[in-house]
Amino acid sequence: MKKRIFAIFTVCLLCALLCGPALADNEGLIRDDAGLLDSDEKLELEKLAAEVCDEYDFQLVVVTVNGTDGKDIAAFADELYENGGYLDDGAVLVLDMQSRDWYISTAGRGEYALSDYKIDLVADEVIPYLSAGDYFEGFRLFIEECKQHVESYDNGAYIPDDGDYHDYDYDYDYGDENRTAERRGVNPLWIPGSLAAGILSALVATGSMKGQMNNVSHRTNASGYTKKGSLNLTEKQDTFLYQNISRTPRPKDDSNRSGPGGGSFGGGIHMSAGGVSHGGHGGKF
């Protein structure tokens, strides 16, 4: 009996030792210094972020603060991720309640999985909730939206640019079976062949029409093509056909680019003060 109790105690102790660091890591993924979440909301968000970390080896972090001690929020977010003991691949959303600024700093795979364009897509979903004060839903959507973009990037999602004739495949889901459709670039031999066929068709068509007009006599005066007395001009009028238009570029209005709060700043891959590469983008909420 004593041996059994000792074995159970040993197992429990080992579980506590092994799970302790994991729980600590999960808690570090949601840092609510501004006090926007209750304990249950924070635990649920930590669980969602930990699931992304376990499945994709990618850390999503949310940090809320009341001021950045005078630092630019982009530099603040970069430094926070670098010094937080997080994975090389990840992203942090920083929310400054004092300035109403938000910023997403990315690192490693996050620089590409969450490009400026992808961050804008995330912001379009998240910022309306943050502006309305529904912080839990905004942070939950941040984790879910980023998870989808990271998954897409890891699965090799690729959209070819215009003029890109490299071979690429599409996978289509037809329910019970998956089929792969392959799209290949234009064969250079098709172009002269198509031109030759078009010219030949045009020659045949115009030759046929020309043959039907052999009985038409040539006239040197336009009056020969009108019926006598059928044309009587009673009014003359000048019609203005052309005008010169000058165009002046209109300044871009980015006030709504980042949600209801408007405004955006940052963007692109850059080096932090610590010499670490980051991507990122931010705005007002």
Side-chain angles (χ1 to χ4, degrees), residues 142-189:
F142 165 73
I143 295 172
E144 291 294 337
E145 292 293 318
C146 288
K147 171 186 174 182
Q148 293 179 18
H149 291 303
V150 171
E151 180 180 21
S152 177
Y153 176 79
D154 287 351
N155 288 336
Y158 170 61
I159 301 175
D161 295 326
D162 293 339
D164 186 352
Y165 294 110
H166 293 291
D167 295 345
Y168 50 94
D169 298 332
Y170 292 104
D171 288 324
Y172 296 91
D173 186 5
Y174 291 91
D176 296 335
E177 61 176 337
N178 290 324
R179 306 175 187 175
T180 298
E182 183 175 352
R183 173 180 173 181
R184 295 193 175 276
V186 176
N187 190 328
L189 297 178

Side-chain angles (χ1 to χ4, degrees), residues 13 33 43 56 63 65 72 79 100 123 130-131 139 170 182 199 210 216 222 228 255 268 270 272 276:
L13 180 61
D33 295 342
L43 284 173
Y56 299 99
V63 176
V65 295
D72 175 78
E79 183 178 317
R100 304 292 293 182
L130 300 183
S131 299
F139 297 151
Y170 292 104
E182 183 175 352
I199 293 173
K210 183 177 180 181
V216 178
K228 188 176 181 179
S255 59
H270 58 275
S272 70
V276 180

Side-chain angles (χ1 to χ4, degrees), residues 70-89:
K71 285 187 178 181
D72 175 78
I73 190 170
F76 180 85
D78 290 347
E79 183 178 317
L80 188 150
Y81 193 88
E82 291 172 24
N83 299 330
Y86 303 113
L87 297 177
D88 292 337
D89 302 322

Side-chain angles (χ1 to χ4, degrees), residues 197-220:
I199 293 173
L200 181 60
S201 299
L203 289 175
V204 172
T206 54
S208 176
M209 290 187 288
K210 183 177 180 181
Q212 297 175 6
M213 298 178 64
N214 289 336
N215 61 343
V216 178
S217 59
H218 179 69
R219 299 295 182 92
T220 59

